[in-house]
Amino acid sequence: MLGLMQSEQLLISSLIDFAERHHGEAEIVSRRVEGDIHRSNYKQVAARSRKVANALDRWNLGFCDRVATLAWNGYRHLELYFGVSGSGRVIHTLNPRLHPDQIVWIANHAEDHVLCFDMSFLPIVQAVHSRCTTIKHFVALCDESKLPRDSGIPGLISYEAWIGAESSTYEWPDFDENCASSMCYTSGTTGNPKGVLYSHRSTVLHAWAGAMPDALNVSARDSILPVVPMFHVNAWGLPYSAAMTGAKLVFPGPAMDGKSIYELIESERVNFAAGVPTVWQMLLSHIQTGNLRFSTLERTVIGGSACPPAMIEAFSEVYGVEVLHGWGMTEMSPLGTVCTLRNKHLNLSADEKLKVRVKQGRSLYGVDMKIVDGEGNELPWDGKAYGDLLVKGPWVISDYFKGDAGSPLVDGWFPTGDVATIDADGYMQITDRSKDVIKSGGEWISSIDVENIAMAHPAVAMAACIGIKHPKWDERPIIAVMKKQGADVTREDLLAFYEGKTAKWQIPDDVVFVDAIPLGGTGKMQKSKLRDLLRDYRLPNT
Ligand code: ADP
């Protein structure tokens, strides 16, 4: 017997319809490439996303055809999110920080038909357009007056001219919620990048779960600043969760430095912001140096790589901002776990709470997880046993786009490539990425743990731990350190700083001071590049 309820499909168009009808005046504020602040709202975004849909129809784009973007976080990008997916096409967010050759490879692999790009990326498009063999239309996300006449890009049109003449009336099509809506390629640190293809159903369910109180707790009272880019796993689903709840969105555009982010937080009364630790490090340095305070910021979700405990402490103890440590992957849309406290933790001391908060957190409804040993046997949830972390759920990948290597799943579970523990309360803690774990004398050393201690030193701006071949121990950890501007620390001081904070054999063998730690396209430390840089490095006494 079937239930007698309406079987309306979970489509992305329903999100913007809802936001327009119920929260039409809620603001969408963007810092533009031009540097000025642009103000819009859900009503306007909805109307202009319907114009996008009409413009794509005029170009006869087929169902599920790919429309690529090379764009910062901003209102036009948001309009494309809804106009492209809502009309049944697939929005493909390209990462502009990749090498141009990678962008060409990805655009051809995805068979993109249209490329919409911010003017900051004009040089990239000029360099790659002739090699992107499937792209027929190029759209510059700007006013007609800003369109360069001599770009050399065939048929280049400005976004405003493209959608300007279109009607804002459009009937969103109805179709199966399992159809593809959007795609994002993994950064491809090993081998070619891999395409992850989200569906309408996975996106809406993920946005729903992401908005819940023990996840990101998104509501109509929020003013949200996603610093995490819309080209990286849909800005962690925040544009969709915001539309679902009527939250105000504040987009930073290209200005991701500490000063610009701080000013936007203050001027737009942002109470919730989201980003990777390296970005927050810049923000913290800015407010620490200028002796500033936050007047509205209440919480921030930090994820994408491990958030150093010193950062969680600084935000909460000094600035009164709650840090939600989150973990996820491109293959998981991306949210998997968020660290929020249980009742039993509320009366703990700040130190005890910090011990919980540094973990990556508990599963959201919709993501099941387990840890297994080398033979695939499930390990206990005791906070000690560590093993490969596997996940499953309705917004977890089943196959890569055109995946030639077969399904990535093992008995229906997706192996994340992370090594983790899970405690009796269900809090998962990442030990490391399996490829970054340091294997020393048959024991494993977590590079994250080694980095976290260095990051707590007042002179350290960023620290990355890697394993170096050792004749006796197989590998030994060293720590590469970028000092804070104007601060100083010696190798000996830093090694002494580890004493008493970790087991002796887990203390790095050496400190290498570097001018900068290589960051990847999504602001994460790129240890593969660091290993390349330190190719000729030899451990002391070997
Ligand atoms: P990639 O950077 O490989 O393209 P993702 O952006 O999807 O892909 O990164 C996912 C990986 O990032 C996870 O598997 C994990 O190793 C790491 N990661 C994400 N969040 C955290 C976190 N809070 N703590 C530690 N590692 C994290």
Side-chain angles (χ1 to χ4, degrees), residues 211-248:
M212 285 177 47
D214 267 334
L216 308 184
N217 193 9
V218 182
S219 80
R221 291 164 298 286
D222 282 330
S223 172
I224 306 178
L225 176 79
V227 184
V228 51
M230 290 168 78
F231 58 73
H232 187 222
V233 218
N234 305 319
W236 298 346
L238 281 170
Y240 303 116
S241 294
M244 182 177 267
T245 54
K248 169 177 173 178

Side-chain angles (χ1 to χ4, degrees), residues 30 47 78 215 233 410 537:
S30 317
L78 188 68
V233 218
V410 179
Y537 169 84

